[in-house]
Amino acid sequence: MRSIPHKAFAMGAITALALAAVSLPATPASARTEAAPQAAAACTPAQAVTNGGFESGTSPWTQSSSTVITSRTGQSAHAGSSYAWLDGVGSTHTDTLSQSVTIPTGCASASLTFWLHIDTAETTTSTAYDKLTAKIGSTTLATYSNLNKNTGYVQKTFDVSSFAGQTVTVAFTGTEDSSLQTSFVLDDIALNTSGDTTPPADSTRTPASPSYTVSLTSNTSGTVWTGHESVTFTNASSTALSEVYLRLWDNYHGTCSAMPITVTNVTGGTAGSLSVSCTALQVSLSSPLAQGQSTTIGFDLGITVPSGADRFGYDGSFVNIGNALPVLAVKDGSGWHLDPYTNNGESFYSLAADFKVTLDHPTSLLVPATGTSTDAAGSSGRTVTTATATKVRDFAWAAGPFTKISGTSPNGVAVNIYSVTGISSSSAQSMLSTAKSAVDAHAGRFGAYPYGELDAVIDNNYWFGGMEYPGFVLDLVSTTALTHEIAHQWWYGIVGDDEYNSPWLDEAFTDYATDLAQGITGTNCWNSVSWASTAEKITNSMAYWDAHSSRYSTVVYTYGKCALHDLRRAIGDTAMTTLLKNYASAHWYGVSTTAEFKAAAQAATSTDLTSFWTTHRIDG
């Protein structure tokens, strides 16, 4: 979203929007019924690994031979004089190193870190002949090979919070094939716990595999919709699920006494308290849901669209209905993600889901929507549009007497442009051409577009520039803006992220993709970087940016994409191209994190990127 920086708008509008971004609607005392947080167990920060630097002999490590933990010549320690040297023989060989550790309960985080150096006599650039596997318990954390050779040591970091309260074995296994040595050298292994809250027993993201079924009927203008929604989901976590939360995002646009989104007559659970300015509804399940079990909740739904050319609003006879369908909040190792709505960006963190949405509306209104749509005759003067979408994070639609033009990209993607009154036919044709070109360009770099058709609603009254939803975007007449919003189909849509806490993972990556599609190399763009404070970082959350809204687009979009251009120059064009395509593939329909991207980038190059992340203020 927000592909056009706020400074492009009138100063009065900017001031009002900045205030709106940090001043949520007042919540009446009667509606403010948030549950008190449970008391957390005390946390004593601890280092669970003993003798991680190997400077105190070999105890309590278990090694496959007496030569694994060593200070002999041929390799060097990261610090001190001793290290662990696995393999390096040049013939069929296996070395192991392990230690049993106990991870205490009551701490918010537990991180396993180690420093790794790999050198090899292998010359291949494509085949992993020799491998090192890092495990905790029965879980494989990572596998490295001769392809990951590097100069010096690189630190590796893994979140192991889900093992809190357990005694598990940290283990490394190195294997070589019959010829050409590869040495896997480890040092300064640590498992640090910290924080003062109790993490859930399982950091798995849940509820998983949601499937939404929705049936709504509109009034004559498409500004009011009523009907029913149900969602079936599975508990993927080993912790029993006794409740879920529905995000009623568009209640931000009203008050708790006059909510645009209403949920009533809940089945499959009991409606509880509304919280976060009435954008989160707790539903207690009829019975706790064990790991692997599924259930369904249902409810009657009412949607009243307010006036305004917004992602949720109507402007004249044209209606946008974004973020209106209640969707399940995500629970992971940090607990439930119940972040506030932000008008400065996005808060819409959700897991990939299936939707079947039936929209009964006047035939005079066209209804572009997420997914693939079919129309059927309804009652007198009405049409029933049925839209189906697979593995999408949200569902949005519009309604109005649009002018529609259609085409197909060279790679076969159906593209529809819906224009409001005042958009010229030449502008619409230009946007159709841009959309067809952009969807194919992004698909060529990151993987085939999976959502069937692509709909774009074009309106020059949008104050926000543009907004992305799966298979459906809102935009100004702008080649750059539309190319940006279509790139979001990959960076947020296919490759998900926690948009509130890590906005750079979709916005910076999308702006970088936009540059690539338009042939912009970003040469010298990092030279214009000027930080406003030591606290300002590309990886800051929307909580920070809502308090520093004038810097949001500059840092997250511009500095973020410039950092990615710099990364491409640091590791090479070919490596960067491969990195992003493989990273998208590895997180296809999943959720990405900054730490995972940094690890993938480091694995793609022999250059130590530690100073790169520091210079570019990319933390995590």
Side-chain angles (χ1 to χ4, degrees), residues 112-344:
L112 175 68
T113 62
F114 55 87
W115 291 84
L116 175 64
H117 167 60
I118 303 172
D119 70 40
T120 184
E122 302 282 3
T123 58
T124 178
T125 59
S126 59
T127 304
Y129 289 115
D130 311 316
K131 298 178 182 179
L132 175 75
T133 301
K135 298 180 69 174
I136 183 166
S138 60
T139 300
T140 298
L141 299 174
T143 299
Y144 308 99
S145 75
N146 49 280
L147 299 177
N148 304 121
K149 63 183 179 180
N150 56 292
T151 301
Y153 280 86
V154 175
Q155 189 178 39
K156 308 297 182 181
T157 303
F158 301 91
D159 181 0
V160 294
S161 303
S162 61
F163 294 90
Q166 299 181 40
T167 298
V168 290
T169 298
V170 174
F172 302 90
T173 301
T175 59
E176 280 184 294
D177 71 347
S178 59
S179 63
L180 299 178
Q181 75 86 25
T182 299
S183 296
F184 300 101
V185 189
L186 294 159
D187 203 357
D188 293 328
I189 301 169
L191 202 163
N192 291 296
T193 59
S194 63
D196 55 6
T197 58
T198 305
D202 187 353
S203 60
T204 302
R205 298 179 182 98
T206 200
S209 306
S211 180
Y212 297 87
T213 302
V214 185
S215 179
L216 297 172
T217 300
S218 81
N219 64 353
T220 56
S221 63
T223 57
V224 176
W225 299 77
T226 57
H228 189 79
E229 176 176 342
S230 65
V231 55
T232 300
F233 54 88
T234 301
N235 179 22
S237 170
S238 61
T239 302
L241 198 62
S242 59
E243 63 181 5
V244 296
Y245 286 84
L246 294 170
R247 294 314 308 257
L248 282 54
W249 286 114
D250 283 331
N251 281 343
Y252 168 87
H253 299 277
T255 67
C256 288
S257 58
M259 294 184 290
I261 310 298
T262 58
V263 168
T264 56
N265 300 323
V266 174
T267 59
T270 302
S273 60
L274 283 160
S275 59
V276 199
S277 296
C278 295
T279 65
L281 174 64
Q282 179 190 48
V283 177
S284 297
L285 300 180
S286 299
S287 59
L289 203 62
Q291 185 175 32
Q293 290 185 331
S294 301
T295 193
T296 300
I297 60 172
F299 46 88
D300 293 335
L301 176 63
I303 300 171
T304 303
V305 183
S307 175
D310 209 333
R311 52 193 180 189
F312 179 62
Y314 69 88
D315 184 23
S317 56
F318 298 96
V319 188
N320 299 319
I321 310 157
N323 307 111
L325 292 185
V327 294
L328 291 168
V330 178
K331 183 183 182 183
D332 59 19
S334 301
W336 286 104
H337 285 258
L338 301 179
D339 298 305
Y341 186 104
T342 172
N343 211 32
N344 196 40

Side-chain angles (χ1 to χ4, degrees), residues 535-554:
E536 191 171 81
K537 300 176 182 179
I538 289 173
T539 47
N540 282 348
S541 73
M542 289 308 306
Y544 178 89
W545 297 120
D546 278 348
H548 303 82
S549 59
S550 65
R551 295 288 293 168
Y552 172 58
S553 63
T554 297

Side-chain angles (χ1 to χ4, degrees), residues 334-545:
S334 301
W336 286 104
H337 285 258
L338 301 179
D339 298 305
Y341 186 104
T342 172
N343 211 32
N344 196 40
E346 285 87 41
S347 305
F348 314 129
Y349 177 29
S350 57
L351 303 184
D354 296 339
F355 284 82
K356 181 177 181 181
V357 180
T358 301
L359 303 169
D360 185 326
H361 56 90
T363 301
S364 59
L365 304 179
L366 297 184
V367 179
T370 291
T372 301
S373 298
T374 59
D375 289 341
S379 58
S380 178
R382 298 184 69 87
T383 296
V384 177
T385 298
T386 300
T388 57
T390 301
K391 300 296 184 184
V392 296
R393 299 181 192 279
D394 203 349
F395 184 97
W397 71 102
F402 297 104
T403 298
K404 177 186 177 183
I405 60 173
S406 301
T408 303
S409 76
N411 287 347
V413 177
V415 179
N416 303 304
I417 300 296
Y418 294 82
S419 301
V420 304
T421 303
I423 302 298
S424 69
S425 59
S426 60
S427 291
Q429 287 291 342
S430 173
M431 292 298 93
L432 179 61
S433 177
T434 294
K436 291 191 294 185
S437 174
V439 73
D440 282 357
H442 298 321
R445 290 186 173 91
F446 312 125
Y449 178 76
Y451 296 143
E453 65 188 50
L454 172 65
D455 294 340
V457 176
I458 307 300
D459 185 343
N460 277 333
N461 287 337
Y462 292 150
W463 66 266
F464 49 85
M467 180 64 198
E468 72 280 359
Y469 296 98
F472 175 89
V473 301
L474 309 173
D475 222 313
L476 306 169
V477 176
S478 166
T479 296
T480 299
L482 186 56
T483 302
H484 173 100
E485 301 307 334
I486 292 173
H488 271 305
Q489 300 303 309
W490 283 264
W491 306 109
Y492 141 78
I494 298 167
V495 181
D497 65 285
D498 179 346
E499 290 189 304
Y500 187 84
N501 289 298
S502 301
W504 91 286
L505 284 173
D506 50 277
E507 296 298 0
F509 282 58
T510 291
D511 245 19
Y512 176 74
T514 302
D515 275 4
L516 296 182
Q518 296 187 325
I520 299 171
T521 64
T523 302
N524 296 323
C525 69
W526 190 258
N527 295 347
S528 65
V529 168
S530 177
W531 302 106
S533 71
T534 57
E536 191 171 81
K537 300 176 182 179
I538 289 173
T539 47
N540 282 348
S541 73
M542 289 308 306
Y544 178 89
W545 297 120

